[in-house]
Amino acid sequence: MEQLSRSIKLENLPAQVAYENQDHLPEKIIQFGEGNFLRGFIDWMIHELNKHGLFNGKVVAIQPTPHGRVVPKLNDQDGLYTLALRGIENGQIVERNEIISSISRGINPYSNWEKVLKVAESPDIQFVFSNTTEAGLTYLQEAYDEQKSPLSFPGKVTAFLHHRYKVMNAKPDAGLIFLPCELVESNGDVLKELVLRYAKEWRMSDDFIAWVINYNQFCNTLVDRIVTGYPKDNIEHYRELLGYEDVLLTAGEPYHLFAIEAGEDVVERLPLHQAGLNVKWGAITPYRELKVRLLNGPHTMMFSVCYLAGVDTVLEAMQDPDLGEFVKGGMIEEIFPTVKMDEKEKRAFVKSVIERFENPYNKHYLADIGMNAIYKYRSRLIPSLLDYIEQTNKLPKVILFSLAALIVYYRPDRNGGDFLIGKRGNDEYTIRDNKEALTALTKAWDQFENGGADVNSLTRSVLENKELWGLDLNEIEGLNELVSSNVSSILLNGMKESVKKLAKAATK
């Protein structure tokens, strides 16, 4: 079977695969990262811009870590790869397959740093994108060597900018626009501060530091799309469908959101919205709240309830009548009213979230959502809990049922070293969280099982822990009583029956 490359004949492609050659375009973007997300999100967006004649530029992808394996594959395929977008869109199952041609080449900076510096010398380069994970957008103490690539991502950016500054004689128009995509709040501001820190520690000139501050833009962004990557579970289906071999085949969902805080000059130079893309320019805080509360919040709200009820994935939970109604009820009745945004936009977002949860192609495991769930509950659901109480003077029953389920989920069967092992029937599962959370829940359950404490005392001891929740939840009138009652029901009747009981109470 022929390998995907620029030599592939267009007439041999099946009708289900779209392809538009963009080889003639200049390199305008340097991108730190070449993984599934960037290829399924940013590089796809640039490809769409180019198709509409709105950007006419290509991407140079830089390998972010010394042990990356994507760059050789990318270069073997002449920068090409297939993106398969699969899911539910406006109530319909869709599957679109397209060869993305926005990447010109990949560079391994650890063996070819001089090529990266050559990119820095190009007057065509305008933008810098990145996704090096949250761990990449951090400080790492390291020495500066002009001939070698720094190990850290911010270090690479600093060295790249310093070389560009020198070669281009500190021209103001040589400054770049940074749009980091790491899931870190105020990611542009964070990257800028890290670059300035490296510049000072590496004793670069005050003039260079002033040039970075005055002539480079670091935009805060928020990204949203699930990109699952290489579809190994059904790769034979794709080989037959495509008619060629693609080792970088990338699968993702149709939904996407890109919120960017930037000036009008950036909007004009990167008119993503004009290509029909779901891009929001301006303050990203409302969209962060929208995503955290109405996408991440329901994920955290559902995971322990649905997992302990016997299902393993988000899709299975949504397909179960009782669990699906539990999730939708909490999202629409309790979380939705707390989000301060245009009603029409909120309703559209909720519709898209439900479609994403019901995507038949995504295996989103509840146990994965449950990692570090105490912190997630605090950041994703406590704000909605407090706002709901303030608005209605009532307790949100679904949100608090999920809090009871979370406490039961953290019931340890045994110690697993750096984590705990819980049990669902005869099946074991891993409880992963920080040491403080695991210690607090272990102590509370031990007092219940071996120290004579009742359920009310169990929940009270957990809910009073300000380190876990940011406040003493027992101070909210009636909260401990409701959570305690739910924990008792789960322990006595099981999760599935308790969910049904909750639903019946809601209809009275």
Side-chain angles (χ1 to χ4, degrees), residues 174-437:
L176 301 175
I177 298 167
F178 290 81
L179 294 100
C181 298
E182 288 81 3
L183 293 175
V184 174
E185 191 167 353
S186 302
N187 47 18
D189 295 336
V190 171
L191 178 58
K192 180 178 181 179
E193 290 304 312
L194 287 167
V195 168
L196 295 177
R197 179 176 180 179
Y198 278 104
K200 291 173 184 176
E201 292 190 1
W202 288 344
R203 298 186 178 182
M204 294 173 174
S205 70
D206 291 342
D207 287 342
F208 168 68
I209 291 173
W211 178 82
V212 170
I213 294 171
N214 294 325
Y215 303 117
N216 293 267
Q217 292 189 52
F218 294 81
C219 305
N220 294 321
T221 74
L222 174 70
V223 299
D224 189 9
R225 169 177 265 176
I226 296 172
V227 180
T228 53
Y230 190 74
K232 60 182 180 181
D233 291 343
N234 56 345
I235 190 59
E236 291 305 322
H237 160 75
Y238 277 102
R239 285 173 177 157
E240 184 176 346
L241 173 70
L242 302 176
Y244 55 81
E245 183 73 31
D246 183 356
V247 297
L248 293 177
L249 174 61
T250 303
E253 64 176 348
Y255 179 84
H256 64 283
L257 168 66
F258 196 12
I260 308 169
E261 288 181 352
E264 282 299 318
D265 59 323
V266 179
V267 178
E268 291 176 7
R269 293 165 66 181
L270 196 71
L272 295 159
H273 56 291
Q274 292 184 30
L277 300 170
N278 187 25
V279 176
K280 309 294 184 182
W281 298 98
I284 66 174
T285 299
Y287 295 100
R288 182 178 299 281
E289 180 175 288
L290 188 72
K291 177 178 181 288
V292 169
R293 294 208 184 191
L294 283 170
L295 173 67
N296 304 130
H299 266 149
T300 299
M301 183 183 69
M302 76 190 297
F303 96 89
S304 55
V305 174
C306 299
Y307 183 82
L308 294 178
V311 302
D312 294 323
T313 68
V314 171
L315 177 60
E316 290 172 324
M318 299 303 290
Q319 290 173 333
D320 181 284
D322 299 317
L323 299 176
E325 285 307 308
F326 168 85
V327 175
K328 293 175 184 177
M331 185 191 312
I332 296 168
E333 300 299 327
E334 297 182 0
I335 301 176
F336 184 91
T338 71
V339 180
K340 299 175 180 66
M341 183 174 268
D342 174 72
E343 290 291 308
K344 183 179 179 180
E345 193 156 15
K346 280 199 297 182
R347 285 194 294 271
F349 187 78
V350 167
K351 179 185 175 184
S352 73
V353 168
I354 293 173
E355 288 184 336
R356 297 168 77 183
F357 285 2
E358 295 177 343
N359 186 342
Y361 299 104
N362 282 348
K363 280 191 175 182
H364 202 171
Y365 288 98
L366 297 168
D368 292 340
I369 296 172
M371 291 180 62
N372 301 309
I374 298 289
Y375 170 77
K376 290 177 180 176
Y377 196 98
R378 173 178 173 170
S379 60
R380 297 174 176 184
L381 287 169
I382 294 292
S384 295
L385 163 70
L386 298 176
D387 286 349
Y388 182 90
I389 294 171
E390 183 179 350
Q391 289 176 12
T392 67
N393 202 31
K394 295 188 295 185
L395 295 172
K397 293 181 179 179
V398 175
I399 292 176
L400 289 177
F401 184 88
S402 74
L403 179 55
L406 180 61
I407 292 172
V408 176
Y409 182 88
Y410 271 64
R411 183 182 191 177
D413 181 69
R414 60 183 174 88
N415 192 297
D418 293 333
F419 45 85
L420 302 175
I421 303 297
K423 292 200 77 172
R424 180 184 66 176
N426 295 322
D427 297 329
E428 293 188 338
Y429 58 90
T430 303
I431 305 168
R432 300 182 186 275
D433 214 312
N434 62 51
K435 184 178 179 180
E436 291 74 20

Side-chain angles (χ1 to χ4, degrees), residues 11-80:
E11 59 269 21
N12 293 340
L13 290 176
Q16 299 94 328
V17 182
Y19 175 46
E20 180 179 295
N21 191 311
Q22 300 177 0
D23 287 348
H24 61 287
L25 302 177
E27 294 174 343
K28 292 185 179 181
I29 296 170
I30 183 165
Q31 175 177 288
F32 291 89
E34 21 59 328
N36 292 322
F37 180 78
L38 284 175
R39 285 186 283 114
F41 189 77
I42 291 298
D43 301 326
W44 165 76
M45 287 190 174
I46 300 303
H47 182 82
E48 289 297 309
L49 275 181
N50 290 338
K51 282 164 57 178
H52 286 79
L54 295 169
F55 184 69
N56 300 321
K58 302 199 76 168
V59 177
V60 183
I62 308 301
Q63 179 177 307
T65 63
H67 307 296
R69 293 179 292 180
V70 173
V71 161
K73 297 175 183 178
L74 198 58
N75 290 332
D76 285 345
Q77 295 189 174
D78 297 323
L80 302 177

